[in-house]
């Protein structure tokens, strides 16, 4: 999801890489779950997120939606799944347990793993930024970016993020021409089917690459 602010407005002004140290360690949050409440539809799930949750909980995306944990939203012209914030006065994430802790912490989405970091995409690649003012904890400790994000730091995962980001940009460029036409709606529905509803092989990244290549040739090129 794109932010319409300059970096100076919500970051410390620095750009980070995997091996950099960043002041982001919240020491297990110590019971705070403010970032798990009132986030609207901003916690967008990518295909790796959904696949990780699906395997971890042995559940389908359709079931996650039907039980109210996930909903579909429009982000930058694309229809995508996101974590649903609709529980109690806090409008909390449905995956919070009674103690206010994440019940899917082992399978939590990448946007949750990053926080308070974010990604800055430029020229087909990305680096990391530290969002300021988002987390109320004031005495954060320094930690290596690769350790903090708790996601695969290898090239396969990095390339997946880049490819997925580029694909969404390309789909958006087609959809925004006429968001309400049947062509745009169908393109979005096929995107959901290809990357979220269909399952992946044992090697997620290899399976995703095959899907991405076929989607571009058989679907996206057909609509452009």
């Amino acid at each position: 999801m794109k932010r319409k602010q300059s970096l100076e407005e919500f970051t410390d002004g620095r750009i980070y890489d995997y091996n950099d140290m960043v002041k982001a360690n919240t020491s297990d949050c110590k019971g705070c779950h403010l970032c798990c409440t009132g986030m609207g539809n901003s916690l967008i799930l990518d295909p790796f997120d959904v696949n990780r949750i699906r395997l971890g909980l042995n559940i389908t995306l359709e079931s996650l939606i039907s039980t109210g944990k996930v909903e579909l939203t429009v982000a930058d012209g694309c229809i995508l799944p996101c974590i649903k914030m609709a529980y109690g006065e806090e409008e909390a994430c449905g995956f919070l347990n009674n103690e206010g802790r994440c019940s899917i912490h082992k399978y939590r989405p990448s946007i949750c793993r990053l926080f308070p970091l974010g990604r800055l995409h430029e020229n087909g690649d990305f680096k990391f930024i530290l969002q300021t003012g988002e987390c109320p904890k004031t005495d954060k400790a320094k930690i290596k970016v690769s350790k903090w994000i708790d996601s695969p730091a290898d090239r396969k995962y990095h390339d997946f993020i880049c490819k997925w980001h580029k694909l969404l940009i390309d789909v958006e460029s087609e959809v925004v021409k006429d968001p309400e036409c049947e062509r745009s709606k169908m393109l979005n529905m096929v995107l959901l089917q290809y990357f979220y509803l269909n399952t992946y092989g044992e090697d997620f990244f290899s399976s995703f690459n095959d899907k991405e290549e076929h989607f571009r040739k058989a679907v996206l090129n057909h609509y452009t």
Side-chain angles (χ1 to χ4, degrees):
M1 182 177 288
K2 300 174 183 175
R3 295 190 67 152
K4 298 180 180 180
Q5 300 168 282
S6 66
L7 289 179
E8 291 75 16
E9 292 181 83
F10 69 98
T11 77
D12 64 353
R14 293 184 59 192
I15 306 298
Y16 298 89
D17 210 335
Y18 287 105
N19 291 321
D20 291 330
M21 300 295 290
V22 61
K23 210 168 185 179
N25 191 348
T26 58
S27 302
D28 198 32
C29 297
K30 295 181 179 178
C32 175
H33 57 261
L34 185 64
C35 61
C36 305
T37 63
M39 298 298 288
N41 58 0
S42 64
L43 302 186
I44 304 296
L45 302 173
D46 65 38
F48 187 78
D49 293 330
V50 170
N51 191 62
R52 179 158 46 188
I53 294 172
R54 180 181 66 82
L55 293 177
L57 299 181
N58 191 26
I59 194 172
T60 63
L61 176 60
E62 295 94 324
S63 295
L64 287 169
I65 293 174
S66 67
T67 55
K69 298 291 194 299
V70 171
E71 63 181 342
L72 298 180
T73 189
V74 178
D76 304 323
C78 298
I79 299 175
L80 302 169
C82 69
I83 297 294
K84 188 173 182 178
M85 299 278 162
Y87 294 85
E89 295 181 0
E90 292 182 305
E91 292 189 354
C93 170
F95 290 111
L96 284 180
N97 62 25
N98 292 333
E99 288 72 44
R101 307 297 282 172
C102 179
S103 65
I104 60 164
H105 195 262
K106 188 176 180 180
Y107 323 116
R108 69 196 187 282
S110 58
I111 193 170
C112 302
R113 294 167 185 268
L114 279 168
F115 188 83
L117 299 182
R119 296 191 191 101
L120 175 65
H121 289 267
E122 288 184 324
N123 303 317
D125 205 349
F126 70 88
K127 299 289 186 181
F128 300 95
I129 53 176
L130 175 62
Q131 302 174 88
T132 56
E134 301 286 346
C135 175
K137 187 174 176 61
T138 57
D139 56 342
K140 301 181 190 72
K142 284 192 174 183
I143 187 171
K144 184 180 285 190
V145 170
S146 60
K147 184 176 181 180
W148 177 250
I149 64 176
D150 190 27
S151 284
D154 59 20
R155 197 68 218 178
K156 286 184 179 181
Y157 181 74
H158 187 98
D159 288 348
F160 155 70
I161 294 295
C162 293
K163 280 188 176 181
W164 179 242
H165 181 75
K166 177 63 165 63
L167 184 62
L168 290 183
I169 290 175
D170 292 343
V171 171
E172 177 194 2
S173 69
E174 292 303 315
V175 171
V176 296
K177 294 175 182 177
D178 188 353
E180 298 303 319
C181 74
E182 288 303 314
R183 169 181 168 277
S184 295
K185 293 176 182 178
M186 181 61 67
L187 184 56
N188 258 318
M189 289 300 102
V190 176
L191 182 78
L192 276 173
Q193 185 69 49
Y194 256 67
F195 297 102
Y196 289 102
L197 298 177
N198 292 344
T199 58
Y200 288 80
E202 186 174 341
D203 182 348
F204 169 85
F205 301 112
S206 176
S207 196
F208 171 81
N209 288 339
D210 290 342
K211 288 176 184 287
E212 189 262 354
E213 182 178 359
H214 190 267
F215 181 85
R216 284 189 175 280
K217 290 180 179 178
V219 181
L220 196 55
N221 288 347
H222 174 72
Y223 283 94
T224 57

